[in-house]
Amino acid sequence: MDLKNTTKLKPMINPLLLITSVFSCLAVYLFVTAPPQLPEASTTSVDARPIDVANMFNAMNAISDVTRRIYTSRIVGAGKEAGLAFGEDWAEPTIDKGPLPALFARMIAARMETKPAPLGLYLGSDEPINKSNLFTGAQADGFTQLKLNQSQLFLTSAEAGFVAMYPDIASAKPCVTCHNEHPDSPKTDWKMNDVMGATTWTYPNKLLGSAEYLDITDAFYAAIQEAYQIYLIKTAEFNTPITITDEWPEKGKLTLPNSATFMAAIKAESAATVLKHLVLNPSASFDNSTSLRP
């Protein structure tokens, strides 16, 4: 047989072997070069972006200030011109009145106590109408310092954890008039812009996560709405019907805003501050805080 003129046979490649080889190489490549797996949501720490408790206090107190200002001026002040009445005995079954601003603030604090968030709220003064709101001991010392500086005061306490006190400034005429004319008031010469008392906040931890911050904000808004709703429910017992709508009281209009309208006004005025302390996270003030004596 003449092998010189014989055509050389090309080796045949097994397609299955080729595919197996390619996938084997690809597996090695991916194993060596693949990026690390992203952590599951459940393993991500809520404190990945910690927020100092001082910033949370500042935000909650801003909400409180807005609430008290709106309630005092647009509910109590305007309500009196419309024919509504407010007093300490408002909760009595046969009394057609609403809560005074200080009592409304205490209602909010009481509703906040029912929430899971360990945020404490207390309103006090060195010359309160209600003696149960009298500052004593370490709180009285802190309030004395607060009145001198007329600015927020950050403290630490072995019992309460982190404490923030904010001055309650006489910024609404109805508050000044009510305190000066009240028969049980120990002081009857209050003036606009006087420091009438302080709002005190407590929280056990120095740092909290953004989700916790938002949960506390939602809880406080809910406490405000629940307190206002209690007042609206009481008006259903009044001898003179009160219209509950999306309008505010004014002279000649005996009406009250529903809870949704009331809360919308509060959130509109406080949202910017809440967002600022969440996103910008301003510098904390507890580094130079004072320790409260037992």
Side-chain angles (χ1 to χ4, degrees), residues 159-175:
E159 295 80 15
F162 296 88
V163 182
M165 298 181 74
Y166 297 82
D168 288 338
I169 308 295
S171 57
K173 191 66 176 176
C175 280

Side-chain angles (χ1 to χ4, degrees), residues 86-258:
F86 299 84
E88 289 180 287
D89 56 350
W90 76 277
E92 296 296 326
T94 59
I95 300 298
D96 292 0
K97 295 180 183 178
L100 294 166
L103 296 178
F104 184 65
R106 289 175 63 184
M107 289 167 61
I108 294 172
R111 295 309 306 163
M112 195 63 200
E113 289 179 0
T114 67
K115 309 301 178 189
L119 177 67
L121 171 58
Y122 176 79
L123 289 90
S125 174
D126 58 349
E127 296 184 279
I129 292 176
N130 190 322
K131 298 303 180 184
S132 65
N133 293 333
L134 178 67
F135 281 134
T136 59
Q139 282 190 322
D141 294 339
F143 184 62
T144 299
Q145 183 179 346
L146 185 81
K147 286 201 298 184
L148 290 175
N149 300 329
Q150 295 199 14
S151 62
Q152 65 210 40
L153 181 65
F154 294 99
L155 309 162
T156 56
S157 166
E159 295 80 15
F162 296 88
V163 182
M165 298 181 74
Y166 297 82
D168 288 338
I169 308 295
S171 57
K173 191 66 176 176
C175 280
V176 175
T177 301
C178 179
H179 278 257
N180 285 339
E181 296 179 353
H182 197 285
D184 297 330
S185 179
K187 179 179 172 64
T188 57
D189 59 348
W190 292 105
K191 301 182 299 295
M192 291 290 291
N193 300 316
D194 281 349
V195 179
M196 303 183 75
T199 301
T200 303
W201 302 86
T202 63
Y203 198 74
N205 306 318
K206 188 178 187 298
L207 298 176
L208 59 157
S210 55
E212 188 176 1
Y213 175 94
L214 293 175
D215 286 343
I216 292 171
T217 302
D218 287 342
F220 190 46
Y221 278 137
I224 295 168
Q225 186 165 5
E226 289 168 10
Y228 183 68
Q229 189 63 32
I230 291 172
Y231 169 43
L232 292 185
I233 292 172
K234 177 67 163 55
T235 64
E237 304 172 1
F238 287 5
N239 292 321
T240 302
I242 308 298
T243 303
I244 309 300
T245 179
D246 57 357
E247 296 182 336
W248 298 77
E250 59 184 51
K251 191 172 183 178
K253 184 183 292 185
L254 197 60
T255 185
L256 283 169
N258 53 44

